[in-house]
Each structure stands twice: as C-alpha cells, then as structure tokens.
Amino acid sequence: MRNVPNVIGLTLFGVLGAIAIFAPAPYDPHERVGTPFQPPSPQHWLGTNDIGQDIFSEIIHGTRTSLLVGVLAAGGALLIGTVVGVTAGYAGGVVDAVLMRLVDVVLVVPFLPLMILLAAYLGPSLVTVIAVIAALTWARPARVIRSQVLSLKTLLYVEAAHAVGGGFWYVLRRHIVPAIVPLAMAQLVTVASSAILIESSLAFLGLGDPVQKSWGTVLYYAQARGAFLTGAWLWWVLPPGMLITLSVLSFALMGYALEARANPRLRQH
Amino acid sequence: MKTKLASYALVLLIAVTLNFLLPRLMPGTPLRFLVGEDVALLPPESVRELLAQHGLDRPLWEQYLRYLRDLVRGDLGYSYRENKPVLSVLVERLPWTLLLTGTALMFSTVLGVLVGALAAWRHGSAFDVGALSLFVLLDSMPSFWLGMILIALFAVKLGWFPIFGAQTPWASFTGWQYVWDVLKHLALPVITLTMTTVSGTFLVMRSAMIGVLDEDYVRTARSKGASELRVLYYHALRNGLLPVATVFMINLGFVVSGATVVETVFSYPGLGRLLYEAVLQRDYPLMQGAFLLITVSVLFTNCLADLLYTRIDPRVRL
C-alpha cells in the first residue's frame, strides 16, 4: 500500500520519458499539415490549431521541452542549493548567517511576478527560462541540505575523521556528500515538479521560447484564439493540461517517496 | 522580530534596486525602457534631451539616489501606453487583486484546516486516503488550465457565470445588484485559485494534527468523556493550527503568483493582469510598478502574519 504512490510516479515518469525520447508524432509539429481549426479526425487525432498544425504532434513534441526544462532547471537549482547549503552548514558563523538571510530573501519574493519581470527584460528563450527558474527555486533545497549538514557535523564519525587529520575536502567528499545525496535527490525531483509547473505558466503568459513547442505554448495559443469558448477545448485545452498535471504529479510522487526514504522519521505518516 | 523586519526591508531594497538596474544594464539605451521603443525613431538631439530630462546622463549612483527620492514621493514613472502616471493605474487595479487574493486565501485556509483536521482524525481511512490523493492531484494542476476548463464548463456550456472581467461592462448597477454582479464575476476566479492553493494548508494541517492527536492531553480529554468532535475541534485544533500560520505565509506567495495567471485567464482587472498587459505592450515603467506593489503587499502581509503568530503562540519569540 505504501508503495502505490511511488509506483504510480515511476510509471508515469517512464511513459512520459519514453514519449520525450522517441517522440512518436505522426507529423512535424512546426509544419502546416491541414486546414486550421479542424476537429479530431483519423488523420489528426486531436484536430489542428489556428494555423493548421497537428495538435497531437505538438503535444508529443512538447513533452520534450517541458521535461527538459524541468530537469535542467531543477539540476541548476540543486547545484546552487547544495553549494549554499553545504557552505552555510559547514562554515557556520557569519557565512551561515549571511547565506541564510539570502535564502529568506529568495523565499519571500513573489516568484512568478519576478520571473515575468526578468523574462520580459531578458527576452524569451529556453535558456533564460531555465536560468530564471533555477535562480529562484534553489532556496528550499539549500535550507534542507544545510540542516542535514548541521546534524552530520556533530556525528561522531565525522568528528573522528577530522580528529585523525582529515582535511575539509576529504571529509566533505568522503562523509558529507554521500550522506546528503539521498536528500538531494528528493529535492531534485521536488524542484523539477514545480519547475515544470512554472515553465508552463511562463509559456502560457507568452514568455516561453516561441520556437520550442511546449505544453504551455500550446495552451497560450488555445487561450489567444479563444479555444475554450468553443467545443475545441475538449481536444485543444484538455490534453496538454492533463499532461502537465500528470508530469508534475509524477515528479511530486517520486519526491515524496525519496524523501520518506532519506528521512525515515517521515515514514510514520 | 527585528531580524525578520530587517529581512523584509532587505527584500524590499533588493526589489527596488533590481527595478532600478534592469533597464540600465540591458543592452541598448535605457530610454527604450523608460519612454518606449519608439525612441529608436527619434533624431539624436531629441534623444540627448530626453536623456538629460530623465537624468540618465548623470553617474549611476546619482541616478540611484534620484530614483529612490522619486519612489519615496510616490513617483513611479509614467506609463506611456496608458498615458497616466504609473501610481494612478496601480491604485485603480489594487482593490480587485485584494478582493480576489483575500477571498481565495481565506477559503483555502479554512478549507485546508477543516479537511486536514478531519483527515488526520480518521488517519488511514478511505476518507483520509481519498482527500490526500485529491489534494495532491489538485496541487499538480496548472491554475490557468483549471480556469480555462471551468470557464468552458460553467460559463460557456452551462452559462452559470460570466466569462470574463470583474463586472458587467456598461452596466450601471447600484446597491445589491452591483454586489451580486461583482460576486458572480468573482466566483470562478476564486474557485480556481482556492482549488490550486488549498493543498499546502491541507498537507501541513494533516501532518500537524496527526502529531497532536497522539499527545497525552488529547487522550485525557477523550478519557474524560469529551465527544470526538469536541476533542478534535476544541482541544486538538488549537495546537494543530500553529504550523498553519507558517503555511499561510508560504501560501501567500503561491496565491499571489497564482493570481497573476488566474487574472490573465479570466481577464480580471487586478495587478497580475496589469503586469501581463504591461509585458505584452512593453510598458516597462508599468511592469516595474506592478511588480513593486505586488512585492510590497506580500511583504506587508508577511509582517502581519509574523505579528499574529507571536500572539497565538507565546512560545515563539521572533
């Protein structure tokens, strides 16, 4: 019973990952392959959009962009978060105080309005979107990793490693980093789930990369052309949103499971 | 409390500095961002004149001081698309955002607390598992998408609610008719925002209550013969509520961010929609003003929540 969410998460991730890698789309999503605004038919399973592109192919290719942004942004956020968290936890004192104040600042800023502002100035591109998401989501992993490092530091075997003459880098590499890897993995997956959601919001607001098809940009055009005011919402609006929901859910469920494994005290609930 | 306040002041300073630096650090003339893209078409001498007029020919630190001085005086620049001072545009939009986010925040907190407590009370039951699954699923949904689906179903198909806006255009309702009109327009955006932000409160409430219901004093209350509902909502809820105050603050950020996209979907005339319109029209002063006001509101509410937290839980000294 306890494993059900984890199995669902992994299965969803496997299916979405396969779609992203093999992209089994019948058409080139950038090519005009039919009459605009077609309802679903055997040729176009989810109809065509306002300029006659195949919506099903758009969504299949969108999987690639959405998952890529999610994983890369989460990777960036985790890298910053780990460096900050380990430094703060290990160094303590003034360094710790300054870094944690920085974390507080990042946590309290209304992130989406700030991202909109940054994306508007920096111009829409996939790299901008990834960098902006990473720059604003690293604070939570940093905080979690810092508290783990703080408790590791007091453990006897770490103290012993110091006592026998182990240097900073040696102790870090041999004892600290391996001990925070499970926690960091959980954070990676959790940040990826919110990164996918944020990317879709930015793309929906028209701030995504206009060249790349993503679920958010499909919904942006659906909104701009009023698809949800006609019957077209059933095939133009519903499917991409469901895929966003399922991929966010998949990462979130894997995150819960990894977190429970990294921190056995959580397992009671 | 002092360190918290200092932290908020720092956030404010960073937001202000970011607003100041962004147009000046981007490639090309900052005039592009202060008076509009049309500046490229002007003859060089007019450009020089404009630069001087905005003080952009001065050293950076002098510009910064001037910028701060204007800000303190409430001068947020001029919106070149709306042809009005930025501040007056913001003041028009602020009440709608406060109405939308305030109502949604209230609903999502109350709903999260009540259902979270019930789920903890029946921990492991079908109700608990069902609620948990539903809230985790809701948490994964993009709010703009949920909004589009709700419009398609309840506004277009069933015609129960209006499709966009905060009031019927060109209608001059008075009294209760006006209130009813506003509420009808508010319903779907609030439902969307509540549904996509409620799970944070629910999850924290649930796990806090599971801990509290294990405590000795709860067992004592039960053995005294207090009814289950009294134990739950009178004895246990009080302490279970404490972490909700923290969640409230985290949730605030999500509600404000969510409101930005939800307002866009429903064409709701709040600050979030304004930010979006400003981005579309490349109206940078307006964009910055909206961002600054959103940040200030979030910080202000955070401060209030902090103060309130020390009052509910005397063990906490901030």
Side-chain angles (χ1 to χ4, degrees), chain A residues 1 101-102 104-106 108-118 120-122 124 140 197 200-202 204-207 216 219-220 222-223 228-230 233-234 237-242 244-246 248-250 252-253 256 268-269, chain B residues 3 6-8 10-11 14 18-19 22-23 26 33 123 129 136-137 139-142 144-145 148-149 151-153 156-157 163 203 207 210-211 250 253-254 256-257 260-261 264-265 275-276 279 282 284 287-288 291 294-295 298-299 302:
Chain A
M1 204 40 212
R101 182 57 50 81
L102 193 66
D104 285 343
V105 166
V106 176
V108 88
V109 165
F111 59 91
L112 198 63
L114 179 56
M115 278 179 198
I116 293 173
L117 191 76
L118 288 176
Y121 274 108
L122 301 174
R140 216 169 291 275
L197 212 50
S200 74
S201 303
L202 283 177
F204 172 73
L205 294 172
L207 293 166
L219 286 171
Y220 166 73
Q223 150 97 355
F228 60 117
L229 302 179
T230 66
W233 70 276
L234 266 175
V237 177
L238 210 54
M242 276 163 54
I244 299 174
T245 308
L246 289 179
V248 173
L249 187 68
S250 144
L253 290 177
Y256 292 138
Q268 305 161 357
H269 303 331
Chain B
T3 55
S7 189
Y8 294 145
L10 189 64
V11 177
I14 291 177
L18 207 61
N19 261 350
L22 272 177
M26 289 298 128
F33 301 116
H123 184 199
V129 174
V136 169
L137 187 67
D139 198 28
S140 308
M141 284 183 189
F144 57 88
W145 177 68
M148 288 164 94
I149 300 292
I151 292 177
L153 285 179
V156 180
K157 253 205 155 104
I163 294 167
L203 288 173
S207 66
I210 288 175
I250 300 171
F254 285 111
V256 170
S257 292
T260 311
V261 275
T264 304
V265 176
L275 183 63
Y276 171 72
V279 168
R282 299 272 168 253
Y284 292 91
M287 212 188 289
Q288 296 197 327
F291 168 67
I294 292 172
T295 309
V298 168
L299 293 179
N302 263 319

Side-chain angles (χ1 to χ4, degrees), chain B residues 173-250:
Chain B
F173 294 127
T174 48
W176 288 110
Q177 261 184 322
Y178 176 74
V179 174
W180 179 240
D181 188 49
V182 167
L183 286 181
K184 257 195 330 198
H185 282 85
L186 187 64
L188 283 185
V190 162
I191 292 173
T192 310
L193 203 50
T194 306
M195 282 174 77
T196 45
T197 52
V198 66
S199 55
T201 317
F202 167 82
L203 288 173
V204 170
M205 189 63 206
R206 178 177 168 276
S207 66
M209 278 297 268
I210 288 175
V212 170
L213 285 171
D214 252 0
E215 300 264 349
D216 288 338
Y217 74 91
V218 172
R219 196 168 307 123
T220 312
R222 277 212 178 103
S223 54
K224 280 196 317 194
S227 76
E228 276 295 303
L229 276 183
R230 189 176 160 82
V231 170
L232 181 65
Y233 285 120
Y234 184 80
H235 293 278
L237 192 65
R238 294 181 162 205
N239 278 326
L241 270 178
L242 293 175
V244 172
T246 328
V247 171
F248 179 83
M249 288 190 263
I250 300 171

